[in-house]
Amino acid sequence: MWADTILIVFISICTALLGEGLTWLMVYRTEKYQKLKTEVERQSKRLEKRKEAHGDSLDKQHKKKIEREEEKLKNNNRDLSFVKMKSMFAIGFAFTALLSMFNSIFDGKIVARLPFVPISWIQGLSHRNLPGEDYTECSFLFLYILCTMSIRQNIQKMLGFAPSRTASKQSGGLFGPPPQQLR
């Protein structure tokens, strides 16, 4: 079981490196991406400085300027996401093929034992294709997903591909707070 667990972590590291390598080839090294990224960084910093400088005491003219800059930033973030999205489809297809191959190799094998019983709506994923009713037993898919989610983010940070904190804070995100609205 330990050998399978370590192998899955190694597979996760390799696929994360492969994914970032493909993304670098298809996205990060392109001139369009570089230009959009620097523009988003510059606009995020400028917008943050303006908001800090003026604070809550904004007249209508300053509000309009800040709203225009937020709109430009939102448009540039959208363009940046669109540039990334093309490669994400290609990487998604490649990883789906890899995932099905690894899934068939580890099918029905217990690769780890969880120190807890997962909540009911995750048990189908954590105990996928495993015999028995012991829900602390972990399947390949669950461990692979957890490892890939954590490892890929750290690899992106190490390689410098993760967005800066300023840009992330300004753009919000799926689970992040929305950009601050001016009243």
Side-chain angles (χ1 to χ4, degrees), residues 75-150:
N75 289 337
N76 281 337
N77 272 322
R78 186 192 65 230
D79 293 343
L80 198 60
S81 296
F82 183 70
V83 169
K84 287 181 182 180
M85 185 175 57
K86 294 175 187 175
S87 76
M88 292 302 136
F89 280 120
I91 291 169
F93 286 125
F95 283 154
T96 302
L98 283 173
L99 188 64
S100 66
M101 181 185 73
F102 291 131
N103 214 8
S104 65
I105 293 170
F106 291 102
D107 192 34
K109 277 188 174 180
I110 299 168
V111 296
R113 200 166 290 281
L114 301 172
F116 57 90
V117 175
I119 54 179
S120 61
W121 54 277
I122 294 181
Q123 286 176 358
L125 186 64
S126 68
H127 199 71
R128 183 180 175 144
N129 294 338
L130 295 179
E133 297 295 318
D134 184 4
Y135 290 109
T136 60
E137 294 172 345
C138 181
S139 68
F140 159 77
L141 189 61
F142 187 68
L143 184 61
Y144 176 77
I145 288 171
L146 288 178
C147 289
T148 301
M149 284 179 9
S150 60

Side-chain angles (χ1 to χ4, degrees), residues 17-31 87 91 161:
L17 286 171
L18 176 69
E20 287 307 308
L22 288 173
T23 305
W24 179 80
L25 276 174
M26 298 172 74
V27 177
Y28 295 144
R29 70 183 186 134
T30 63
E31 187 178 321
S87 76
I91 291 169
F161 297 149

Side-chain angles (χ1 to χ4, degrees), residues 29-30 32 41 50 62:
R29 70 183 186 134
T30 63
K32 185 176 182 178
E41 293 292 324
R50 279 209 175 148
H62 288 310

